Amino acid sequence: MFTRSLLVAIPLMLFFSAIQSAALARLTLFGQMVQPVILMAIAWAILRGLPEGITWGFAAGLALDLFSVGPVGASSLALMAAVALAAAVRAVLPNSRYLLPMLLGGVCTVVYLIFTGLLSQIAGFTINWDFLQELVLVVVVQSAAMALVYWPLVGLDRLLYPTPISTLE
Amino acid sequence: MTNPASIRWGVIGTLVAAAAVLFIIDATGNSGQLVAFLRDPLTAVSTWVTPPTDALADTLAGPASLQEALSEIETLRRRVDELERQNEQLRETEGEYNLLLSLFDYASDSPLNKRVIAGVIGRDTSPLFQSIVIDKGTDDGVQVGMPVDSERGLVGQVFRTTRDSAMVLLVSDSSSSIPARLSGSRATGLVHGGGEGGNLHMDWIPLEADVELGDVVLTSGLVGEFDQGILVGRFPKGLVIGRVAAIERSEAEILQRAIVQTDVVFEDLELVFVITDFPKEDLTPFENPLGEP
């Protein structure tokens, strides 16, 4: 189960991290960068639960760190915390096709950013915490972007884990 | 028999531990080869994607209407006229400067920096950091710590390298710290980045230094690292960082601070120069300022 998920996650995350670095960093919305790689890990946690979410969070974090001056491993740890929150909330709240993924996309991105900032400070980086003043915009942009990211992953989930159809004799 | 739940928790624990180990390895400065191994194949993706994205971003950022475009042309014409006038003045100043240099026989020692042109193929994936990815790496002689500049001023310094790419920490990043000097008063200080949307600021300027608005801020060439046992400057001196845009003085303190405005538009960088070599100044006397034997 994990192997199949990881084999898909690693190339997918590496590819989209390269795209995020090369293309999306310049195309901002309300001054905020859209971060699809983070959203993909969160969406997978919502769809498949904690263990697979953690797997995708690890792969996504590692891929993001390849294109960042931040400490390697910090994004993985921060994303694993964010997907754990997403999986926990998903387990408690009633299922929702649109609202819950979008809400969690925004909120968990904020959790990820704060964790990354804290871990980077521990590693000796200086972080400008002024970005906290724009958290509402981050939530709005990431929630909106989640609508685009979530449904292709629902399709991928069905492709990887097809539901058996029982037939009546 | 192994319980599936315990396998799940085992995998989760292993991944968390792996991320923590990577974090520690990186914090001790030993992650370079792993990063290079994983990122080199992705450089090609970045190289393919960047040009069309730049074109799209330029289009989106361009003037929205004809009226706006005409107004922009008029503004640019005035700016060209002003720059031509400034250029003439600078030529004259340069002539005087060269004369003085020859008088003091400094001309032969004038810095001759070796540069490698690099294309910008990516930006930091985290909004917490200000960095760019360039398409030159160790195969082209680029090494960690090398300064990077552009025709508009200092851009930053190389932070990580792979065989065919490198990450450059921009001067605007909060973690950036560059020894600098003011052109007017010759006072020294440290230029720090302000992070996303923040201004550069020059700290540690002595209160008695006469700082004026518009003063050019240059790299001082001071404070450095050890190169073959000799203390040398990390940046060549005289690279333009920006101009003083505001001054913050507090009589209660013994130092003052200047807000520095750079001409570099970091979001629009497409080509930069990596300074691979420059005449190093021997700062050995600073290792033993009292001259003790």
Side-chain angles (χ1 to χ4, degrees):
Chain A
M1 184 179 76
F2 282 110
T3 316
R4 198 180 345 171
S5 181
L6 204 58
L7 284 176
V8 174
I10 289 173
L12 204 65
M13 295 306 181
L14 287 173
F15 178 75
F16 275 99
S17 290
I19 297 290
Q20 185 173 321
S21 167
L24 297 178
R26 280 205 72 187
L27 306 171
T28 55
L29 199 62
F30 304 120
Q32 302 299 319
M33 188 202 310
V34 179
Q35 301 173 73
V37 178
I38 296 169
L39 294 175
M40 287 162 78
I42 294 165
W44 203 251
I46 295 168
L47 288 166
R48 302 295 313 170
L50 180 65
E52 288 214 24
I54 291 277
T55 310
W56 277 51
F58 175 79
L62 193 60
L64 287 172
D65 284 342
L66 293 178
F67 296 91
S68 174
V69 291
V72 177
S75 291
S76 285
L77 287 168
L79 251 179
M80 284 193 270
V83 297
L85 174 69
V89 173
R90 165 70 185 81
V92 174
L93 292 184
N95 197 9
S96 157
R97 282 182 166 191
Y98 303 98
L99 198 62
L100 189 65
M102 287 175 72
L103 180 74
L104 286 176
V107 172
C108 292
T109 300
V110 170
V111 171
Y112 158 80
L113 287 174
I114 291 171
F115 264 81
T116 311
L118 289 172
L119 288 167
S120 301
Q121 273 203 332
I122 291 169
F125 285 81
T126 308
I127 299 296
N128 182 357
W129 291 99
D130 286 353
F131 80 90
L132 292 173
Q133 294 166 4
E134 296 181 346
L135 283 189
V136 175
L137 279 178
V138 173
V139 171
V140 169
V141 169
Q142 287 290 93
S143 296
M146 188 57 141
L148 300 173
V149 169
Y150 188 70
W151 286 102
L153 286 180
V154 170
L156 181 67
D157 179 33
R158 285 177 187 161
L159 198 71
L160 285 177
Y161 303 100
T163 313
I165 300 167
S166 57
T167 53
L168 291 172
E169 291 290 324
Chain B
M1 206 169 69
T2 315
N3 184 351
S6 64
I7 294 176
R8 278 195 202 115
W9 285 109
V11 171
I12 290 171
T14 307
L15 290 174
V16 173
V21 168
L22 281 171
F23 182 71
I24 293 163
I25 289 174
D26 189 65
T28 53
N30 294 307
S31 66
Q33 285 194 333
L34 174 71
V35 172
F37 171 75
L38 290 171
R39 211 186 59 207
D40 268 338
L42 298 168
T43 305
V45 177
S46 303
T47 312
W48 294 331
V49 172
T50 301
T53 309
D54 283 345
L56 179 63
D58 290 343
T59 309
L60 292 176
S65 69
L66 181 63
Q67 193 59 41
E68 204 177 318
L70 288 171
S71 157
E72 198 169 309
I73 288 169
E74 188 52 40
T75 310
L76 288 171
R77 271 197 191 131
R78 280 201 294 272
R79 181 87 177 124
V80 167
D81 290 342
E82 187 190 330
L83 287 173
E84 275 178 352
R85 199 168 53 248
Q86 283 180 4
N87 200 22
E88 284 303 313
Q89 288 171 347
L90 284 172
R91 276 177 204 274
E92 200 177 320
T93 312
E94 189 190 27
E96 289 171 3
Y97 179 66
N98 284 335
L99 185 64
L100 281 170
L101 276 181
S102 62
L103 279 173
F104 289 98
D105 200 24
Y106 279 151
S108 58
D109 297 330
S110 63
L112 191 64
N113 304 330
K114 283 185 185 169
R115 289 178 160 93
V116 170
I117 299 175
V120 178
I121 56 169
R123 278 149 183 93
D124 206 301
T125 47
S126 172
L128 301 180
F129 303 105
Q130 309 290 306
S131 77
I132 53 172
V133 187
I134 56 172
D135 63 356
K136 294 286 188 293
T138 49
D139 282 358
D140 307 285
V142 175
Q143 289 172 11
V144 172
M146 286 179 170
V148 178
D149 72 347
S150 72
E151 76 280 9
R152 286 172 169 254
L154 187 67
V155 170
Q157 78 180 112
V158 177
F159 188 82
R160 272 196 194 119
T161 54
T162 70
R163 272 181 44 247
D164 52 12
S165 72
M167 295 221 65
V168 177
L169 183 75
L170 300 178
V171 289
S172 57
D173 189 278
S174 308
S175 299
S176 170
S177 179
I178 294 160
R181 185 189 294 279
L182 292 166
S183 63
S185 64
R186 314 300 293 163
T188 57
L190 279 177
V191 171
H192 292 112
E196 191 184 15
N199 287 311
L200 302 183
H201 45 92
M202 184 170 171
D203 298 315
W204 306 99
I205 308 169
L207 199 60
E208 65 272 16
D210 185 19
V211 185
E212 289 184 12
L213 291 179
D215 271 357
V216 179
V217 182
L218 307 157
T219 53
S220 67
L222 293 175
V223 184
E225 58 192 18
F226 289 92
D227 184 15
Q228 294 172 339
I230 301 169
L231 188 65
V232 294
R234 202 170 35 163
F235 287 86
K237 69 176 181 183
L239 295 179
V240 175
I241 300 173
R243 282 177 182 276
V244 174
I247 304 154
E248 293 173 3
R249 284 196 186 94
S250 165
E251 294 302 328
E253 295 176 11
I254 55 167
L255 299 161
Q256 54 185 325
R257 182 190 220 213
I259 304 298
V260 180
Q261 190 167 23
T262 171
D263 274 351
V264 181
V265 184
F266 297 106
E267 295 78 23
D268 293 342
L269 280 172
E270 288 178 23
L271 281 176
V272 293
F273 305 103
V274 182
I275 302 174
T276 53
D277 196 18
F278 58 90
K280 307 269 194 315
E281 291 188 47
D282 181 5
L283 303 178
T284 311
F286 292 102
E287 289 178 67
N288 186 7
L290 298 176
E292 291 169 353

